[in-house]
Amino acid sequence: MSLYLENDSLTALLTPLLMTPTEAEHSAFTLLLENLLLEFAFFLKLILEFIAIMIVAIALIRTLNKYFRHQVRHRPMAQPSIRLELGLSLALSLEFLLAADIVGTAVSPDWQSIAKLAAITGIRTFLNFFLHREVQELQHLPRQISPVDQEPAQSR
């Protein structure tokens, strides 16, 4: 076993010395491209996660604002439509988080990261399935519930 490691480390040491200048340049260029790809994937993953967090934050602020506005007016029937809007925002956020995980795993696909991605994908798909199911149930409620954004018409 140690002989194999010594040969492997010896090969790693001698390989750059035995390369022609064009092979060394090609290897350096390939290494540079790989590093750029890793950096880009990391940056893209951060952007996707930031978008997902912003979607949740904005949806939370809007939901709380609408909820308290309708509680002051004593209109409890608006709650399902508020939940519908929040559910759609959460589903969208889950999609962005899933995309971020895929981007992060696509660049360094070792078995541990693939297993982690599979677990995360399964959990998020499970959550998304039930979120969409609840959203569909809320959409099929009787249309007596007025949309949240519309204010009651004022009589003249």
Side-chain angles (χ1 to χ4, degrees), residues 44-153:
L44 182 59
K45 182 179 178 191
L46 286 177
I47 289 173
L48 290 169
E49 289 173 343
F50 176 76
I51 291 170
I53 291 169
M54 290 305 297
I55 289 170
V56 171
I58 291 169
L60 181 63
I61 291 168
R62 290 182 67 201
T63 300
L64 289 175
N65 182 23
K66 290 175 185 177
Y67 177 76
F68 289 127
R69 198 172 62 208
H70 288 283
Q71 286 296 348
V72 168
R73 293 188 187 127
H74 304 290
R75 290 176 43 196
M77 289 302 290
Q79 186 178 4
S81 67
I82 292 172
R83 288 180 56 210
L84 175 65
E85 288 181 27
L86 180 62
L88 290 172
S89 297
L90 292 176
L92 180 62
S93 177
L94 280 172
E95 296 294 334
F96 275 99
L97 288 172
L98 183 60
D101 289 332
I102 291 171
V103 167
T105 304
V107 185
S108 58
D110 61 349
W111 285 109
Q112 184 176 1
S113 59
I114 290 173
K116 181 180 171 186
L117 176 66
I120 290 171
T121 302
I123 292 168
R124 290 194 178 145
T125 303
F126 177 79
L127 288 172
N128 215 0
F129 172 77
F130 285 105
L131 209 67
H132 277 292
R133 198 160 126 196
E134 185 171 348
V135 164
Q136 286 177 347
E137 288 174 9
L138 288 172
Q139 286 175 337
H140 293 304
L141 283 178
R143 291 295 171 191
Q144 65 194 21
I145 302 169
S146 64
V148 177
D149 290 329
Q150 294 179 356
E151 299 298 324

Side-chain angles (χ1 to χ4, degrees), residues 2-65:
S2 65
L3 180 63
Y4 177 74
L5 290 176
E6 288 174 8
N7 285 340
D8 196 32
S9 61
L10 182 63
T11 304
L13 288 173
L14 291 178
T15 301
L17 298 174
L18 299 175
M19 294 174 118
T20 64
T22 56
E23 287 176 333
E25 289 172 4
H26 179 67
S27 176
F29 181 70
T30 303
L31 186 61
L32 175 69
L33 286 179
E34 285 179 6
N35 287 336
L36 284 174
L37 182 63
L38 286 172
E39 291 297 321
F40 178 73
F42 180 71
F43 184 67
L44 182 59
K45 182 179 178 191
L46 286 177
I47 289 173
L48 290 169
E49 289 173 343
F50 176 76
I51 291 170
I53 291 169
M54 290 305 297
I55 289 170
V56 171
I58 291 169
L60 181 63
I61 291 168
R62 290 182 67 201
T63 300
L64 289 175
N65 182 23

